[in-house]
Amino acid sequence: MKFLIFAFFGGAHLLSLCSGKAIYKNGISKRTFQEIKEEIASYGDVAKAIINLAVYGKAQNRSYERLALLVDTVGPRLSGSKNLEKAIQIMYQNLQQDGLENVHLEPVRIPHWERGEESAVMLEPRIHKIAILGLGSSIGTPPEGITAEVLVVTSFDELQRRASEARGKIVVYNQPYINYSRTVQYRTQGAVEAAKVGALASLIRSVASLSIYSPHTGIQEYQDGVPEIPTACITVEDAEMMSRMASRGIKIVIQLKMGAKTYPDTDSFNTVAEITGSKYPEQVVLVSGHLDSWDVGQGAMDDGGGAFISWEALSLIKDLGLRPKRTLRLVLWTAEEQGGVGAFQYYQLHKVTQPWIAKHLYILEETNLASLNYPNQRRVSFVNCVYVIFDLFFFFFFFFWGGCLDFLYFLVETGFHRVSQDGLDLLTS
C-alpha cells in the first residue's frame, strides 16, 4: 500500500515536470524533466551492475543466508528479552565486519512484557480447548482464571447496542475481515471498548484474511480511566463457531487463564550504519527494518526480512565501490512491535540534536513484504533481490538527482511519517 502511495504522489510530481520547461519552486529554477531523465538514464550501467551482483554474483542468496543464520540461532526477539539484545549485538558486529561506516548503537527505553502461561477452555455447551495468544501489554487473569458467559458481537456498534448484556461477561469479537488497517482496531481497542461496558475480558478474532486454526498476536492498547481487562486473540474458526452457537441462542461459558505480566521498561538500542555521502553528507536517506519480533515465531518475515533487505542494499552499494552523493543510513529499529517505540525515540532524539533533519532526511522503509515464503531458496533470493532493486531505484533517485520530491511517505506501522521540504510531521496511525 505504501508503494502505491509513493507512486501516486511521486507520479503526480513527475507529471508536473513533463512540460519540458524549467520548474520553479520558491523562485529557484529547477531542471527540466528531460534533463532529469537523461541523468537517471546515465546510471544504467551502475544499475545493471547492482542487479548482476545481487542475482548472479557473490551476493546471490546472501541476504537469505544472513537472515536464516540469525533467526535460527537467536529465535524470537520480543521487546525487553535477552534474545532481542543478543540479536542487536550480533547485528552490531555484523555491520562492522561488513565494512560499513559509522556503525553504532543509539540507546532506547523499551517496554518489557511477557505472556506467561495461558489457556482458554469452553465449558458450555461442551468441553472444547480454545487456541489463544495473549495480546501485547495485556494484563493477566487471577491465578484461578476468569470463568464467565460469553457475549459474541461483530462490531463496536453492536457492542454498544447490547451494552446492557455485556456486564460480567467475556466479550468475543467476530468482526469480519475487511482489510488490515480497518480490522486491526478490534485488536488494539477491543479490550478498552469491552471494559467500558463492564466486560471481564475480551477475545478477538485474529486479524487475518485466512486461517489454519492459528491465532495471531499483536499489540493492544489500554486507555487512561478505563479498567484494564485481559485480552487475547482466538482463531477465525473458533470465533465463527461461537458466533453460530450464539445465533441459535446457545449459552457459551469460557474459562480464561493468562499469566501475562508487564515489567519496568528496560534499555535497548537502535542499530545504525552508514555509507557517507560524497557531496551532501548532511542529507540522509534512511532505509530501515526492525529487529524485534513477537515471542511465538522466529520473526523471519516480520521483520527479519525487511531488516536484512535493508542491510543488503548497503552491502551491494559498498561491494561495488559506489559512493552516493547523499548519506545512506541503515537503522534497525528496536521495539517496533510495541508501537514503533524505537522509531519514535529516534525521531525525538534527532529532531533536537540535528535540527536539519526536518529538511534533509528522506526515508525508505522495507517491510515484511521482503520475505515471501517460497519453498525454493533460489526463488526466495530472487524475490528478495526484487525488493533490494526496488529500494536501490529510489536510492539512485535521491542520491544522484540534485533535487528532491515534495512528498515521500514511509510507514513504521504506528503511522505515516510525511517527509517534505517543510518538515517531518508525524501523522497519527
Side-chain angles (χ1 to χ4, degrees):
M1 183 64 183
K2 68 178 177 187
F3 297 159
L4 297 178
I5 293 171
F6 176 87
F8 176 80
F9 287 102
H13 180 86
L14 290 177
L15 286 175
S16 70
L17 302 175
C18 290
S19 64
K21 299 178 181 178
I23 303 300
Y24 289 82
K25 186 174 181 71
N26 299 326
I28 301 174
S29 175
K30 293 193 174 183
R31 293 175 294 167
T32 65
F33 180 79
Q34 183 61 31
E35 290 171 332
I36 296 167
K37 178 181 176 182
E38 290 172 358
E39 181 175 350
I40 292 175
S42 72
Y43 301 117
D45 290 342
V46 177
K48 186 178 296 185
I50 292 173
I51 293 171
N52 287 337
L53 176 60
V55 179
Y56 306 111
K58 69 176 184 178
Q60 183 187 64
N61 285 329
R62 180 170 62 184
S63 60
Y64 176 89
E65 295 296 344
R66 285 170 165 176
L67 171 63
L69 178 61
L70 181 82
V71 300
D72 289 345
T73 303
V74 177
R77 302 171 298 281
L78 185 64
S79 175
S81 68
K82 292 182 179 179
N83 277 13
L84 174 58
E85 299 317 305
K86 180 179 179 181
I88 290 171
Q89 292 301 324
I90 289 173
M91 288 305 301
Y92 174 68
Q93 295 173 8
N94 286 344
L95 297 175
Q96 287 182 314
Q97 293 169 3
D98 197 29
L100 298 176
E101 301 163 11
N102 194 23
V103 178
H104 64 280
L105 301 175
E106 297 188 0
V108 180
R109 291 289 289 176
I110 63 172
H112 180 190
W113 172 88
E114 296 180 7
R115 72 175 58 254
E117 296 294 323
E118 54 189 17
S119 65
V121 180
M122 178 189 292
L123 302 178
E124 296 182 32
R126 63 182 174 89
I127 301 297
H128 169 63
K129 186 176 180 180
I130 298 173
I132 67 166
L133 282 177
L135 294 177
S137 78
S138 175
I139 66 168
T141 65
E144 68 276 12
I146 294 173
T147 301
E149 189 176 344
V150 164
L151 173 67
V152 181
V153 297
T154 59
S155 68
F156 290 143
D157 288 341
E158 182 181 358
L159 178 62
Q160 290 303 313
R161 291 195 305 269
R162 304 179 63 186
S164 61
E165 304 174 51
R167 183 165 297 278
K169 294 182 180 178
I170 296 174
V171 169
V172 170
Y173 291 96
N174 185 37
Q175 75 285 348
Y177 182 86
I178 300 172
N179 55 48
Y180 185 81
S181 61
R182 290 183 61 181
T183 311
V184 75
Q185 63 180 320
Y186 289 92
R187 191 191 75 204
T188 57
Q189 303 170 31
V192 167
E193 296 304 317
K196 287 178 180 177
V197 293
L200 300 179
S202 64
L203 297 174
I204 293 91
R205 169 177 165 155
S206 290
V207 183
S209 55
L210 297 173
S211 177
I212 51 172
Y213 201 72
S214 52
H216 295 202
T217 191
I219 195 66
Q220 67 88 35
E221 300 170 353
Y222 291 123
Q223 183 176 312
D224 291 343
V226 178
E228 297 181 357
I229 61 174
T231 183
C233 270
I234 60 176
T235 67
V236 171
E237 292 88 342
D238 279 339
E240 289 283 0
M241 178 185 69
M242 284 189 276
S243 183
R244 293 192 302 271
M245 289 177 172
S247 69
R248 302 179 189 123
I250 297 174
K251 179 181 178 181
I252 306 168
V253 175
I254 286 178
Q255 182 185 65
L256 176 67
K257 292 183 178 182
M258 294 175 59
K261 186 174 181 180
T262 297
Y263 297 88
D265 288 355
T266 188
D267 293 325
S268 186
F269 302 93
N270 289 324
T271 310
V272 183
E274 293 180 342
I275 296 177
T276 306
S278 61
K279 187 173 182 180
Y280 309 108
E282 77 286 357
Q283 296 186 23
V284 177
V285 177
L286 188 152
V287 59
S288 69
H290 62 89
L291 279 182
D292 65 297
S293 73
W294 287 106
D295 55 327
V296 289
Q298 290 182 313
M301 288 185 65
D302 188 6
D303 185 33
F308 278 72
I309 290 302
S310 299
W311 174 21
E312 182 66 18
L314 270 71
S315 287
L316 291 171
I317 290 175
K318 176 193 66 67
D319 289 350
L320 291 169
L322 300 175
R323 177 66 62 176
K325 289 182 179 179
R326 290 167 179 80
T327 294
L328 172 56
R329 179 179 296 165
L330 166 69
V331 182
L332 304 177
W333 312 112
T334 187
E336 185 277 342
E337 296 289 3
Q338 276 60 38
V341 175
F344 179 76
Q345 291 189 33
Y346 176 92
Y347 172 68
Q348 294 297 320
L349 171 66
H350 286 270
K351 76 173 183 179
V352 173
T353 60
Q354 298 168 308
W356 49 263
I357 198 171
K359 287 190 176 182
H360 301 298
L361 177 67
Y362 312 96
I363 305 179
L364 301 168
E365 191 218 12
E366 198 57 77
T367 72
N368 53 22
L369 290 171
S371 288
L372 300 182
N373 187 22
Y374 285 96
N376 183 285
Q377 178 174 323
R378 188 178 181 87
R379 287 191 71 187
V380 171
S381 176
F382 175 76
V383 171
N384 285 351
C385 178
V386 169
Y387 285 96
V388 172
I389 294 169
F390 182 90
D391 275 349
L392 291 178
F393 170 81
F394 290 112
F395 294 161
F396 280 115
F397 198 73
F398 285 112
F399 291 164
F400 302 110
W401 177 29
C404 66
L405 290 178
D406 288 335
F407 297 99
L408 176 64
Y409 289 80
F410 102 118
L411 181 63
V412 194
E413 296 195 17
T414 54
F416 288 105
H417 292 68
R418 173 175 173 244
V419 182
S420 74
Q421 290 180 332
D422 299 323
L424 185 62
D425 305 310
L426 181 64
L427 305 184
T428 58
S429 55

